[in-house]
């Protein structure tokens, strides 16, 4: 029984560590409109570390609705975001990359909308390209933002 309990605790710890690793780091917020009740409307800036490319971080800014609905998580945030990815350390690849792969996804509304970040590999230029957009089940979203991180030619990007 003790071995089972220890195994369960270890599995729970690993699961919690995995969930924490997937969470963005909140860099800061800027209030954009005062609300009498609930939090203010704001713009939030978060950092995401690419899980397969150490040394690359992406900074995403997006608007959040405040007020009562926003505070309770019931508001429909705008489908707009901006992204800037940068080399923040030596670039290393944990495994070969797909030519195109979703690397981050975060819920922006209670039901349908998600903020997505997709990594694309420009093998010809040895560059990582990151695209952010928000999808909505009903009508999609043309709003998007793109950034690129050139990788030194001495470090070829491994592809699957």
């Amino acid at each position: 029984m003790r071995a089972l309990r220890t195994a369960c605790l270890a599995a729970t710890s690993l699961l919690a560590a995995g969930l924490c690793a997937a969470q963005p780091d909140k860099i800061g917020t800027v209030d954009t409109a005062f609300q009498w009740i609930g939090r203010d409307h704001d713009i939030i800036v978060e950092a995401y570390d690419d899980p397969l490319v150490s040394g690359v971080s992406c900074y995403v800014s997006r608007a959040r609705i405040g007020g009562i609905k926003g505070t309770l998580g019931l508001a429909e945030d705008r489908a707009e975001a901006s992204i800037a990815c940068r080399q923040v350390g030596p670039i290393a690849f944990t495994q070969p990359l797909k030519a195109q792969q979703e690397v981050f996804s975060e819920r922006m509304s209670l039901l349908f909308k998600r903020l997505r970040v997709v990594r694309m590999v420009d093998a010809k230029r040895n560059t990582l390209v990151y695209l952010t957009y928000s999808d909505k089940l009903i009508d999609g979203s043309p709003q998007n933002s793109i950034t690129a991180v050139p990788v030194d030619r001495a470090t070829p990007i491994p592809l699957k």
Side-chain angles (χ1 to χ4, degrees):
M1 189 67 169
R2 175 174 267 180
L4 179 60
R5 196 174 319 148
T6 303
C8 287
L9 284 174
T12 303
S13 297
L14 286 173
L15 180 60
L19 291 175
C20 291
Q23 297 299 313
D25 293 325
K26 182 178 171 185
I27 303 302
T29 60
V30 175
D31 289 347
T32 58
F34 175 76
Q35 297 295 298
W36 287 102
I37 301 174
R39 72 166 193 257
D40 293 343
H41 296 318
D42 59 15
I43 297 172
I44 183 169
V45 177
E46 298 170 315
Y48 297 82
D49 294 326
D50 190 321
L52 298 181
V53 184
S54 64
V56 173
S57 293
C58 293
Y59 298 88
V60 177
S61 68
R62 60 185 174 85
R64 284 191 316 180
I65 301 296
I68 295 172
K69 285 185 178 180
T71 303
L72 296 175
L74 302 174
E76 184 76 17
D77 289 336
R78 296 185 56 107
E80 299 172 354
S82 181
I83 188 170
C85 297
R86 298 293 184 262
Q87 180 177 350
V88 296
I91 292 180
F93 302 94
T94 59
Q95 64 186 49
L97 304 178
K98 294 181 181 177
Q100 180 173 317
Q101 178 178 9
E102 182 174 286
V103 290
F104 315 115
S105 179
E106 183 177 340
R107 185 175 306 281
M108 291 178 66
S109 74
L110 189 60
L111 297 176
F112 302 118
K113 197 183 302 182
R114 295 190 74 81
L115 172 72
R116 299 183 184 276
V117 175
V118 175
R119 179 196 334 99
M120 299 172 203
V121 177
D122 179 356
K124 180 179 177 182
R125 293 166 190 84
N126 211 47
T127 299
L128 301 170
V129 179
Y130 294 85
L131 166 73
T132 186
Y133 67 97
S134 174
D135 64 358
K136 186 175 180 182
L137 187 62
I138 298 168
D139 62 2
S141 174
Q143 297 290 331
N144 60 78
S145 183
I146 193 168
T147 187
V149 178
V151 179
D152 189 325
R153 292 261 180 216
T155 309
I157 301 171
L159 287 172
K160 282 187 180 180

